[in-house]
Amino acid sequence: MALCTSQLQFANAALASCASLSRTASFSSPMLVARLRVLGPLRSLWSLSNSLVDPVAAAERLSSSAAYTSSSDQPSTMSAPWPGAGTSQDGRNTQARYGGDSGSSRGGRGGGRGRRGGGTRTIEQERSYHGGRPQMQNPGRGYQENFEQEGNGYGRNGAGVERGGNGFGRGGRGGGRNGRGSGMVEERGNGRAVGGGSGERKRGPPGGSMSAAAVQQHQRRAPPVSRRPPAQSQLIDETLSESEGEEDRPAVDAERSTTGGSGGNPAFITETRFDSFNLSPPTIKALHEDLGYEKMTVVQEATLPACLDGKDVLAKAKTGTGKTLGFLIPAIERILARGGRRSSNPDIEVLVISPTRELAQQIEAEAKALLKYHPLRSEIIFGGSNINSDRRRLESQPAEILICTPGRLQDHLDNTPSVPQRLKGLKVLILDEADNLLNMGFRPAIEKILRYLPGQRQTLLFSATIPPQVHTVSKLALKPNHAFIDTVGEETEQTNIQVKQSYAVIPLADQIGATFHILRQHIREERNFKVLVFLTTARATQLYAQLFQGIGFPALEIHSRKSQAARTRTSEEFRKGSRVVLFTSDVSARGVDYPDVSMVLQVGLPTDKAQYIHRLGRTARAGKEGEGILMLAPYEKYFLKQVADLPLEQYGPVPIEADIRQEVQRGMSRLEEKTLVQAYVAWLGFYNTFCKNLGWSKADLVQQANFYATECLGMSEPPALLRRTVGMMGLKGVPGLRIE
Ligand SMILES: Nc1ncnc2c1ncn2[C@@H]1O[C@H](COP(=O)(O)OP(=O)(O)OP(=O)(O)O)[C@@H](O)[C@H]1O
């Protein structure tokens, strides 16, 4: 057992990432242990390679591996209740993603209308809850890092942490809105008069969750943790009710109202009608009657002729302008062109590849809507879901259209013989977010997939950003005589004109407070606020989300460290919700079509200009209006040069009022140590990749990271890292690092 927890988790990560090597659909524990021995040497290889590739591929590898791990559907993060946000949050947590032994708990459900609060479990309870699974092995053992990577994240090695069992519990779903439903969960969850149940998290013993030294230090520093539930902040109550009560108040800037629908950019829709093209009646019927679209958007009008002609197309169009239908419509028509009846075991005639799971799900929903009156089917496969159930679905109900993420498709190409077989009849290949899929991170997967596909096919590549180098690599997939259709042009603005863009330069130590201020300002101005806050890493996202939840903000959380089930739920919740803030990593940066997002706030350095544009593109979609704010630390100001051609104006003053400071401090004191440690390590990993751009030496990097730990996270000293982690980050011998 001494081998178990920490080693097992790390090695499990290696296994998971090596899923494509092991090609094993499921492991029993003894098998796993045996494999670990064999794969031991692979660990460092994995870590190293993971640090050297683009995050997207790694995210995919990791996500496709989740089905192999025992904890991918572990219950996860606590959620705070709030009044007025029309959605509920499922407090689920994925602890120790690779390894199973988490001390996390699942709370019971409270009553009411889906508001859920935190509860508390003790470790003992948690053990019995999980049937006595071994937990808390290796107390005091240092955490183990692997390089964390997000959907579209930073170029290389943002570091993250996966660690041994941790001894805290949470969960519990709380009470209902307006005091209905009690939310009594576990021993301490309780219902709240307004805003539903809430519960308490308590700091667990330090076993396995952080380095012993760090835990000791942190405990010395940490303020005593209140056993009271995190009371809804009066400040937030007031802010929310201010905007809630102002039904009749005109939007602050009616011109820029984000929810008006028909307002916005008239240039989005053309005068060209779908029925003026020779599309099949079932497609027209679905467009008119189900989707409610009669006229084409600019990109649809520009690309449909070439796509319907069977040409290969590389298309560039601004975010939120209907590219999805732009490629789905001609692809479906292409299947119909072959004539004949539907076979019981059809080929996969259209293959759509998406870089993220959320986007794949969204494309599939749109495909299903378009197929409503067609005798054709679509199917989806993506990482993080059960690969065996994929296989069953693919074999029992084969579909003509397959939508997938690259990692999972690779798995099936290797392990599900019917998939490569059925791909032999492929007619149309679509790469959505093509520049991302052809980027270094995904390219090996895409190259491999291409080897399985027939040369005689049509290929469609779509994105809002096509950097010059994409023209070179696109040759991997496109025929030389392909059409490049650019509906944006290099000379014109690359972002939607109806989005107001600004930037604020805020010292690192003030950024949480500044985020609070900006959110509060927006909530006051925008009655139906719906905000996306992008953070640089999954762990920073987790920290912000938990902090804002803890002080009663209507906050949701999504990133690659969450189980796929939680990601899907959160995504749906945000899609349907209003008066809500989603803290997110770059898993939401591209393609995701959340309706009526009123503001996008980017905190910290975007990886590049394209990433800035894609994140910003989550608002002001389908011709609507929106606002985007970029918050940079003073040392990140250089990034403004990269977006100098975009109309960013300086955001007004960002005073961090005393009440905000107090709230932030309160929220901070309620965070678990491991959240702080993980955020620190991720920060170090992320900025490690940008040292050159920032003009930092490694010593500068460490100094800044340590400042982040002490001045922003409130730790008494920076946490200690494992020697191996330091080596993996290339920081050996750098002064200022604490090593276990
Ligand atoms: N012809 C149309 N008329 C009106 N709305 C449309 C039309 N076509 C698509 N839309 C809507 O526009 C929104 C944005 O579409 P979509 O998600 O395809 O954008 P996109 O260009 O792929 O964006 P991104 O670059 O962010 O991926 C969706 O809600 C979609 O349903």
Side-chain angles (χ1 to χ4, degrees), residues 42-53 147 157 727-728:
L42 279 174
R43 272 196 225 148
S44 45
L45 183 62
W46 151 245
S47 308
L48 189 66
S49 67
N50 202 5
S51 70
L52 292 175
V53 296
F147 286 89
N157 50 343
M728 270 158 39

Side-chain angles (χ1 to χ4, degrees), residues 268-269 274 287 291-297 299-300 317-327 359 362 366 432-433 463-465 589-593 595 614 617-618 621-623:
F268 167 65
I269 298 285
F274 283 111
L287 283 167
L291 292 163
Y293 305 148
E294 305 218 326
K295 293 176 179 171
M296 295 180 185
T297 65
V299 61
Q300 291 158 3
K318 289 183 183 179
T319 52
T321 56
K323 291 188 284 297
T324 315
L325 286 182
F327 57 71
L359 182 53
Q362 191 179 293
E366 214 143 342
D432 194 11
E433 307 298 339
S463 185
T465 48
R590 282 180 176 253
V592 192
D593 185 42
H614 284 279
R618 299 317 100 207
R621 297 178 70 74

Side-chain angles (χ1 to χ4, degrees), residues 531-550:
V531 180
L532 276 163
V533 181
F534 283 97
L535 281 307
T536 48
T537 65
R539 295 310 189 187
T541 307
Q542 170 183 277
L543 180 126
Y544 268 65
Q546 291 184 2
L547 187 145
F548 280 90
Q549 285 164 357

Side-chain angles (χ1 to χ4, degrees), residues 591-603:
V592 192
D593 185 42
Y594 292 126
D596 299 322
V597 170
S598 54
M599 183 171 83
V600 167
L601 171 60
Q602 307 189 35
V603 180

Side-chain angles (χ1 to χ4, degrees), residues 670-687:
R670 287 175 183 278
L671 292 177
E672 288 149 5
E673 293 92 338
K674 69 161 201 154
T675 305
L676 306 178
V677 178
Q678 287 169 339
Y680 167 79
V681 182
W683 196 99
L684 198 54
F686 178 79
Y687 286 96

